[in-house]
Amino acid sequence: MESITFTETPFVRKKKRTEALAKLIFFLMALSMIIPLVMIIAYLVVQAWPILSIDFLLENPANRMRAGGVWAPLLGTIYLVVISLLVSAPIGVLAAVYLNEYATDNWFTRIINLAVVNLAGVPSIVHALFGLGAFVLFAGIGRSILAASLTLAIMTLPVIIASTKEALASVPMPFRTACWNVGATRWQTIRTIVLPNSISGILTGIILQVSRAAGETAPIMFTGAVFFKALKDDGLFAYNLLDQCMALSMHLFTISTQVPDVPHALPYGTAVVLMAIVLLTNGLSIAFRVYLRSRKRW
Amino acid sequence: MNYSIETRHLNLWYGNFQALIDVSVNIKDRLITGLIGPSGCGKTTLLRTFNRINERYGNVTTKGEIKIFGKNIYDNDVSLPELRKSVGMVFQRPNPLPISVYENIVLGMKLHQQRSSLKKSGLDEVVEQSLREVFLWDDLKDHLKKKATSLQLEQQQKLCIARLLPLKPRVILMDEPCSALDVEGTRAVEDMMLSLRERYTIIIVTHNMAQARRVSDECIFMLLGEIIEHNDTDDLFLNPRNPKTADYIEGRYG
Ligand SMILES: Nc1ncnc2c1ncn2[C@@H]1O[C@H](COP(=O)(O)OP(=O)(O)OP(=O)(O)O)[C@@H](O)[C@H]1O
Ligand SMILES: [Mg+2]
């Protein structure tokens, strides 16, 4: 009987080499994602080091923005982000629930879905012009925190709808049929099964929009953010909804390009604060997800 | 004779595709009726018309009449949640919800009653009774807090049946309830069905002809959306009246 050796043929050896090479390339690409992030953060922090302190956070810009801290813009950014999400998150989540759980597949829902996808891809400067036209001029709100927040809300809404829909769609269909077959209405099904099993995905989608809303300059520049604004006091409620406000992203732009003789560390310090907000919210979203997942035993 | 389900000239379309063709059938109470036929012949579809769950699956048109215990379920005054309470369904893949065993069983009651009218002791009693009916109580009485999705498949399937019982169903529809189970599990579920038989109308879809013979009292053979033959199980298997039935039970298709 002829015996078998199971040794490598040259072809197999070649395949193995290709395999190893492919793996290396993919690994390097993955690594190259981290390197810029680490380098950016390191660079910013090193450049900003002399100025970083709690006071930098809590002091207002002073001496025509050549000294002081970032309190007014920081507070402005918080206002803009919170108000815009208070608008877009509930609308977005409810709309997504409708689209995923109630809507039947007809031309109307197809148009809505198409609109969502396309709106999510519209550049932010276009949202800015829309906000200027719709809220500032047409609705007569004027340039204000409210108008800017609404513009940001319009910008984040389609993405929240899309991410929420995805989270809802990931809940297995048999969970729903199980509920329907014990006579649950659609809403009971959503409340008892669909939302509890998708809430962490929904929240992650929303929180990712925090960093987007905090980082964008264009939509707020036309609609409510200003270069400089003196706050009336130090409290958390120093801005009024119809006031204009400063914002970190805009402030960074101003002090890096519009104001001469700014101390070197100041823009870098501002950038670090902005980065910190983004990283902090992303970190929070991860922690929250882990927490929800650990609790989902109910 | 006491029929629990009567259909008259039932036709059903998914879009333009006709999945049920002129189905007229009488199903007896407190018996197990087997439903056999090749893949795609409309068995699942027919089951799903009995609690109108079909309507949740997109573009469905139904014509004809279905009476359950004398009541036409397409009448305007029929409430779907109430209908589904009385006509429960079990699926091929056990689909317990990712919550505890206990919560799975009381879910139906929680959906149908005011929270305030549910007493803990009452719920405990219902849970015990439902689990006893499906022979799960001894296995699970110390694991009521366990997540239902972590049970063995056989236990999951029994739990899915137990979950229907607190709603006091009259009809239990089973769509290939054993096809995901091993031999032991199948046996256990069949034993359980036989013990439920006196209290409920049970319809079981199966691809397993031996199973149909073991558990069912009457049997329905379907082909391409039509009912070909409906008879006592023994007669249907031993003296099929229609040559197509004979072909099927002798394994000549699907
Ligand atoms: N939601 C649906 N939309 C469109 N067509 C469907 C739908 N569900 C079933 N069908 C079609 O209807 C026919 C009957 O399907 P059904 O699931 O009732 O068959 P079945 O007898 O249960 O088959 P199986 O033994 O494979 O479970 C099939 O041709 C199927 O493709
Ligand atoms: Mg089927």
Side-chain angles (χ1 to χ4, degrees), chain B residues 14 17 19 37-46 48 57 176 207:
Chain B
Y14 292 111
F17 173 75
S39 237
C41 70
K43 306 181 294 293
T44 302
T45 304
L46 181 60
R48 291 199 302 224
Y57 293 84
E176 302 185 40
H207 267 129

Side-chain angles (χ1 to χ4, degrees), chain B residues 51-174:
Chain B
N51 66 1
R52 290 182 61 183
I53 205 82
N54 259 330
E55 293 160 34
R56 289 278 167 96
Y57 293 84
N59 189 4
V60 176
T61 323
T62 315
K63 292 232 166 69
E65 189 182 70
I66 303 176
K67 282 189 176 164
I68 294 193
F69 294 102
K71 173 73 184 166
N72 185 352
I73 59 172
Y74 284 92
D75 280 352
N76 287 331
D77 61 345
V78 168
S79 138
L80 292 183
E82 289 300 313
L83 171 64
R84 288 173 192 150
K85 241 169 92 174
S86 299
V87 184
M89 188 152 175
V90 184
F91 301 86
Q92 186 167 359
R93 296 258 357 139
N95 60 350
L97 295 171
I99 49 183
S100 71
V101 170
Y102 188 96
E103 289 295 328
N104 261 284
I105 295 180
V106 298
L107 174 74
M109 299 181 73
K110 287 191 170 169
L111 293 173
H112 287 279
Q113 289 170 34
Q114 299 287 340
R115 294 257 150 162
S116 53
S117 69
L118 299 169
K119 295 250 161 27
K120 173 93 170 75
S121 59
L123 291 179
D124 288 350
E125 202 175 300
V126 167
V127 169
E128 173 169 352
Q129 199 190 334
S130 304
L131 286 176
R132 275 191 195 287
E133 273 197 75
V134 298
F135 307 138
L136 268 186
W137 176 249
D138 291 330
D139 289 352
L140 292 188
K141 64 178 176 230
D142 301 321
H143 305 284
L144 295 178
K145 292 266 173 299
K146 203 167 160 184
K147 214 170 164 170
T149 40
S150 67
L151 300 177
Q152 297 160 15
L153 276 180
E154 168 202 335
Q155 294 176 325
Q156 291 188 14
Q157 192 61 296
K158 288 177 171 175
L159 179 68
C160 289
I161 297 169
R163 181 170 65 190
L164 304 174
L165 303 181
L167 299 173
K168 310 224 181 322
R170 305 283 298 275
V171 179
I172 299 180
L173 309 170
M174 302 188 183

Side-chain angles (χ1 to χ4, degrees), chain A residues 104 173-186 188-189 191-193 197 296-298, chain B residues 51 53 56-57 81 84 87-89 91 95-100 107-108 111-112 147 163-164 167:
Chain A
T104 49
M173 201 57 195
F175 290 0
R176 295 187 182 85
T177 41
C179 272
W180 296 344
N181 274 289
V182 286
T185 60
R186 275 187 201 260
Q188 282 177 319
T189 308
R191 209 187 49 205
T192 53
I193 279 306
N197 282 286
K296 217 168 69 180
R297 306 182 42 87
W298 58 263
Chain B
N51 66 1
I53 205 82
R56 289 278 167 96
Y57 293 84
R84 288 173 192 150
V87 184
M89 188 152 175
F91 301 86
N95 60 350
L97 295 171
I99 49 183
S100 71
L107 174 74
L111 293 173
H112 287 279
K147 214 170 164 170
R163 181 170 65 190
L164 304 174
L167 299 173

Side-chain angles (χ1 to χ4, degrees), chain A residues 24-44:
Chain A
L24 181 69
I25 291 175
F26 289 130
F27 172 73
L28 288 179
M29 291 302 140
L31 195 67
S32 72
M33 291 296 300
I34 303 178
I35 293 172
L37 180 68
V38 172
M39 273 170 49
I40 290 171
I41 294 176
Y43 179 71
L44 289 179

